[in-house]
Amino acid sequence: MPSHELSRLQLLAEIDALLAQLRAWSDRAPDWPPARAAAALVDRLQARAEQVRLRIEAPLVVATLGGTGTGKSTLVNALVGAEVTTAGRERPTTRQPVLVTRPGFKPEWLGIDPTSVRHVEADSPTLADYVLLDCPDPDTSEDPASASSNLAQLRRLIPQCDVLLVTTTQQKYRSARVADELAEAASGVRLVFVQTHADTDSDIRDDWRRALGDEFAAGEMFLVDGPAALRDQQQGLAPRGEFGRLVQWLARQLAGTARLRIRRANLLDLLDESLAACRARVDAGLPQLEQLESAIVEQRTRVATQLAERSAAGLTRHRRAWENRILAEVTGAWGLSPFSGLLRLYLGLGGLLSSLMLLKMRSTAQVAIWGAMEGARRLRNRWSAGEAELPMGDAALTLVDEETLRTGAVIVDGYAAEAQLPRTGTHGTVISGQTSQMVGRFAARVANDVQELVAGLAQRHTGWFTRLRYELLLLVVLGGLFFRWGRNFFYDSWLAVEFGRSEQAAPLLGTDFYWGTAFALLIWCGLLLWLFTGRLRRGLSAELKQAERRWARPELTAGLFADLEERLRAVRVWREELIDLQTRTSALGNQALSPSESLGQRTARSTATSAS
């Protein structure tokens, strides 16, 4: 396959891939004014890119751009070697654009409306690789809003151009009107800067280059005398001097595969500038989105703090019920042992006392009174255990104030209005539904954390060291008491006399000893229980405080303002895709297929760039 055909196919493939990616990105634009504006800009860019695609095989369109009297028409005549367009130095001469092509060429092949130009055919070697378009002067006093004005005609034709011959003179090169039009027209085209009137003006190219500043890479600049060059060709003389260098340079830069490179580079530049304009519009709206995002986080934090405080308060209020659960976990893990039995006795103390009271009942009335008291006690315990459980479902809504939600919705709605996002996510019915689901998830999370908290505390209090310490403390006292009773009963009162160790048996310990011993044992067991449950209570309080801090995070109220959050996420993702498009476009532009650097181009990106 010829290299020219391969280059054409590669260019078509690149354009098709870029257009497909652009179209997909534009179709995913979120419902947000800056995004819609950016999508509209991309739609216009796609139309222009499609024109480039259709003109892949057509000659380059080389158009003139310059102020009145800068020699645009004269330069066209000199390049063609014949007077194909009317020239004039003092007043605007080119009223209608003039398209100069080789014989048999049709303007439609370039996407140009034949009625919008005066078509001139010329048999000139110069027109083998490109066509010339003599554009109207931009610096006229006409109303630019008029469809027939020079500016209107110029702006309709610029999108069809590939290269601009920017002409100027010593008097015109700092014209603000022409500079504005150049900045507008330079998007997606290559530039050739030509100073005319070489017969009368001083060479201002260096100063002109400085005047262009950082916004343009000037590339090669030329100083020509158009009328003299035309006379030479009319006399059959070959182009010479600076004009001859311009003719040869154009033939070298605009012929063959260079045409494809120029069109590729123009398209990438246009795409790069348009994407930069899209990003500027999107980024201009980001501060309002960030404020809205911060407001949502702030209101979620307020709700989460309130939920955490009320949940922790409810757990603290019924701390005894949770302590009993932990004690039940501990006794279940320890099985049968002295201290475990003491803990079981402590847990069932109410039922034990009630049973002892039943043993003392002597009449039916007393039993009835006991039954009523026992029933009330069990109902109270069951109610307390139920209160200790975190509310779920509709009951969980009592954990958050309606006033807090209403105030938060009003605040978020104001920020959503400033961010220009749809505000359906702040309506009362939507907030109520989101709150119900969010609080339910929050309560489920808290309930799960509490179960883990109980299991963790129980595990920490069932370690072998903790168990050994309390078991030994209880066993030492019990062992001492049993040793004292056993020595008295078996040895002092009996065996000592039998074995001759004592002449008289010691009397058995009386009830005073047993009552005192029971009281001392009760005090000791109470002390051990107080130490164990106190340590358990402190651990539970500390865990609840830490849990309250964990629950006061906005992540746990993520369902609140979910619609707005989804819109914010969509904008973020869409912006990241835009950055990816910019990166890909820049990477393609940095490849080795770029045209010669001697061709001028626009370098600075303007946020006001239009894709038209």
Side-chain angles (χ1 to χ4, degrees), residues 326-499:
I326 299 174
L327 287 174
E329 294 272 350
V330 172
T331 56
W334 281 354
L336 294 177
S337 67
F339 191 70
S340 175
L342 179 61
L343 292 177
R344 292 177 190 273
L345 182 64
Y346 173 72
L347 285 174
L349 187 59
L352 179 61
L353 293 176
S354 178
S355 300
L356 292 175
M357 288 178 62
L358 179 62
L359 294 176
K360 292 183 176 295
M361 298 295 105
R362 295 293 184 265
S363 66
T364 305
Q366 289 177 336
V367 172
I369 294 173
W370 173 87
M373 293 176 60
E374 178 65 12
R377 185 185 69 83
R378 293 193 178 188
L379 285 175
R380 185 171 61 252
N381 289 341
R382 184 173 298 179
W383 176 82
S384 178
E387 284 289 306
E389 296 289 345
L390 288 172
M392 301 292 289
D394 293 338
L397 293 175
T398 59
L399 294 174
V400 61
D401 285 338
E402 183 178 350
E403 182 63 27
T404 300
L405 292 172
R406 187 163 48 247
T407 302
V410 171
I411 293 174
V412 171
D413 184 77
Y415 281 105
E418 291 182 5
Q420 304 180 65
L421 282 177
R423 292 141 60 191
T424 55
T426 58
H427 291 173
T429 55
V430 176
I431 293 297
S432 297
Q434 292 176 351
T435 302
S436 177
Q437 298 176 10
M438 177 271 295
V439 175
R441 288 193 298 268
F442 180 91
R445 167 66 182 273
V446 172
N448 181 70
D449 287 354
V450 170
Q451 293 298 330
E452 293 179 357
L453 182 151
V454 169
L457 282 174
Q459 185 177 9
R460 284 200 296 274
H461 286 78
T462 54
W464 66 269
F465 180 75
T466 301
R467 181 178 184 181
L468 179 63
R469 183 173 53 188
Y470 284 96
E471 295 284 4
L472 286 177
L473 289 173
L474 182 58
L475 284 173
V476 165
V477 173
L478 289 175
L481 293 175
F482 275 104
F483 176 79
R484 179 73 180 88
W485 171 81
R487 179 182 175 87
N488 173 259
F489 185 83
F490 291 102
Y491 184 80
D492 293 341
S493 65
W494 174 36
L495 293 179
V497 175
E498 291 291 333
F499 291 116

Side-chain angles (χ1 to χ4, degrees), residues 118 271 363:
R118 182 167 66 88
L271 179 60
S363 66

Side-chain angles (χ1 to χ4, degrees), residues 18 43 72 90 120 136 237 243 296 301 315 425 460 490 498:
L18 281 174
D43 289 341
K72 299 187 301 297
E90 299 300 330
V120 178
L237 300 177
F243 179 77
I296 291 176
T301 302
L315 293 169
R460 284 200 296 274
F490 291 102
E498 291 291 333

Side-chain angles (χ1 to χ4, degrees), residues 42-82:
V42 169
D43 289 341
R44 298 178 67 186
L45 171 64
Q46 290 175 353
R48 183 165 175 181
E50 186 61 28
Q51 293 176 359
V52 174
R53 190 184 188 283
L54 295 174
R55 293 191 288 114
I56 288 296
E57 289 297 336
L60 294 174
V61 178
V62 180
T64 58
L65 178 69
T68 302
T70 57
K72 299 187 301 297
S73 300
T74 301
L75 180 60
V76 169
N77 291 335
L79 289 171
V80 177

